[in-house]
Amino acid sequence: MIDYDGLWPDTTPYLAPEVLAGIAADAARADREGRISERGLTLLRESNWPGLAVPEKFGGQGAGLLLCCATQRELAAADPGLAIALNMHLFSIGLMVEHWRRRADVSWLLMEAIATQGRLLASAFAEPDLGGSVSRSTLRARRDGASWVVSGRKAPCSLAGVADLVCLQAQTEEADPRVLVALLPMSAPGLRVERTWDALGMRGSASDTVLLEDCAIPDELVFYQARAGAEDDDVLTAGVVWFALTVTAAYLGVAQAARTAAAELLRRGRISHLGARRADLPSYQAAVGQASADLLALEAGCAGLAARMDAGADPATLIEPALAVKERAAVAVPAAVAALVESCGGMAYGANGALSRLWRDAQAIRFHPPTGPAVRQYLGRRALGVPARLDLDEAAPWLIERTAAERNG
């Protein structure tokens, strides 16, 4: 793994080299079998990783966003599927921390339980037909006494089959609906997991389906709520920044692992009629150099924004650059890994090789919400000075109404 002095903090106190080595040793098997690495989960629980982002006063390790990104980068270099699954735990904890800092309510009790008991948290925010929205839900929550009753389907949901708790959102059935975000035990009545994950890459992420059938969520487990579709909420904004940067860092770990693997193959591979190793030839050096330039620019952007967040910057000022870094990574990371594979030639294309596995894993970056179409629309509208939301809005009725009003004076 390549480290850049001045960009990333030392992660050794949080991810010991022997822990990373143990995780890496199980990554190929987890990918082959399409199951999350139980050995990796055990090693991380023993290292108190579940409490990484929980404040120290609540029994956690108190890591800020920059350190969380750095650990995700290292973890993904060892086992991408495990890292991307655990990124959802990390994002949910980050959302809880940001909520607690702004609301100072009893949500700290949930964080303390996670940190002190080593609980793993699945994030059930993705839904079929949601279109990548981060502020809505297709699940409807109806009131029943002191609880909300929810039915619906969450997929894909990383860690679904191995987590202790699930963080999910649902939308109330009101004239002015709200989105509720709650924590629920995976053993809750009406909740079950269906093993459905069989994808091209990130096969070891346990991203299965969570089914809810008249599942009751008590009020005390709802730790955040906002108007559906609202994107001016400070907690939601902070959560988007957390997710955009931690998920980018994870895929940067995938790309850096691919560069390390490619460098080894290029040092071994030869061009016989030139009597030289591929690594010694300017054409191959340039290909690796271009991939390195693209990745290093992303590394700097991701680390710099995470450091700004830790320094207390208003998340509203960081959401555009954070989404831009994530969107650029969705293009540059798969392209860089593909260029590295191509440079190594056919020896990198073997089904059991590390590079081919990393190439498959890199493709998944395109599908994390908010997805490309919504992000590009949002950034374009912000740049043009027109109203913008992260909900994909092709019809733009508000724009039609505003234009008509302007024409009528």
Side-chain angles (χ1 to χ4, degrees):
M1 184 68 171
I2 299 170
D3 291 313
Y4 298 108
D5 291 340
L7 287 184
W8 299 109
D10 180 20
T11 62
T12 303
Y14 307 91
L15 282 175
E18 58 271 21
V19 170
L20 286 172
I23 290 171
D26 204 37
R29 183 206 56 78
D31 173 81
R32 186 171 57 254
E33 296 180 0
R35 296 180 180 272
I36 201 162
S37 170
E38 293 288 350
R39 179 185 181 189
L41 290 175
T42 298
L43 288 169
L44 289 170
R45 285 183 192 268
E46 291 173 349
S47 302
N48 195 24
W49 187 92
L52 178 66
V54 174
E56 291 181 354
K57 66 190 297 183
F58 304 136
Q61 301 193 66
L65 181 54
L66 179 61
L67 183 54
C68 287
C69 287
T71 57
Q72 281 303 98
R73 178 176 172 270
E74 295 283 348
L75 187 57
D79 184 340
L82 181 63
I84 206 62
L86 292 172
N87 196 82
M88 309 313 162
H89 168 99
L90 200 58
F91 152 68
S92 295
I93 300 299
L95 182 64
M96 295 174 69
V97 170
E98 296 294 342
H99 169 83
W100 174 78
R101 285 174 177 164
R102 290 163 174 77
R103 306 293 189 266
D105 57 14
V106 295
S107 60
W108 66 269
L109 291 167
L110 300 173
M111 291 190 287
E112 184 179 65
I114 289 168
T116 59
Q117 299 171 27
R119 303 296 188 184
L120 286 176
L121 182 57
S123 291
F125 284 83
E127 299 172 15
D129 303 322
L130 192 59
S133 174
V134 296
S135 59
R136 298 184 186 275
S137 176
T138 62
L139 275 66
R140 293 296 178 261
R142 59 179 174 82
R143 197 67 173 154
D144 185 9
S147 298
W148 295 94
V149 177
V150 177
S151 296
R153 182 169 176 255
K154 295 282 191 174
C157 178
S158 298
L159 286 181
V162 295
D164 305 291
L165 304 163
V166 61
C167 182
L168 56 84
Q169 94 282 29
Q171 192 164 310
T172 63
E173 295 180 325
E174 300 171 313
D176 187 15
R178 291 168 290 150
V179 167
L180 312 175
V181 181
L183 279 186
L184 200 61
M186 293 299 292
S187 59
L191 187 154
R192 64 186 176 89
V193 175
E194 190 175 273
R195 192 169 186 274
T196 55
W197 187 245
D198 186 18
L200 175 72
M202 293 298 181
R203 292 176 51 76
S205 62
S207 299
D208 294 313
T209 297
V210 173
L211 298 171
L212 299 102
E213 300 172 0
D214 292 330
C215 185
I217 303 177
D219 283 343
E220 59 266 25
L221 296 184
V222 176
F223 69 89
Y224 168 79
Q225 53 183 292
R227 183 172 54 84
E231 295 179 0
D232 55 354
D233 183 89
D234 54 352
V235 175
L236 174 64
T237 300
V240 172
V241 172
W242 263 80
F243 182 76
L245 296 181
T246 55
V247 81
T248 296
Y251 283 96
L252 286 172
V254 174
Q256 296 296 355
R259 191 170 77 163
T260 299
E264 177 60 28
L265 287 178
L266 290 170
R267 285 190 290 266
R268 286 165 34 201
R270 300 184 64 82
I271 303 297
S272 59
H273 71 278
L274 296 178
R277 303 182 308 166
R278 293 187 183 219
D280 294 329
L281 298 173
S283 55
Y284 291 99
Q285 294 165 356
V288 175
Q290 182 61 65
S292 297
D294 292 340
L295 296 174
L296 183 52
L298 287 169
E299 298 256 5
C302 184
L305 289 172
R308 288 279 310 281
M309 186 76 166
D310 287 345
D314 182 353
T317 67
L318 300 181
I319 189 167
E320 283 185 74
L323 287 171
V325 164
K326 176 182 174 291
E327 176 60 18
R328 185 58 202 158
V331 176
V333 167
V337 176
L340 293 167
V341 172
E342 182 182 23
S343 296
C344 294
M347 59 183 170
Y349 197 57
N352 295 321
L355 263 181
S356 61
R357 172 166 56 85
L358 293 166
W359 180 88
R360 287 187 286 105
D361 289 338
Q363 308 311 310
I365 191 174
R366 297 181 174 95
F367 306 110
H368 296 287
T371 47
V375 170
R376 292 190 292 270
Q377 182 186 80
Y378 174 81
L379 293 175
R381 288 180 174 175
R382 291 293 294 265
L384 293 169
V386 299
R389 300 193 321 188
L390 279 172
D391 278 341
L392 188 61
D393 181 10
E394 296 293 336
W398 53 266
L399 184 58
I400 295 172
E401 293 172 2
R402 191 186 72 179
T403 302
E406 290 174 350
R407 286 176 178 172
N408 293 331

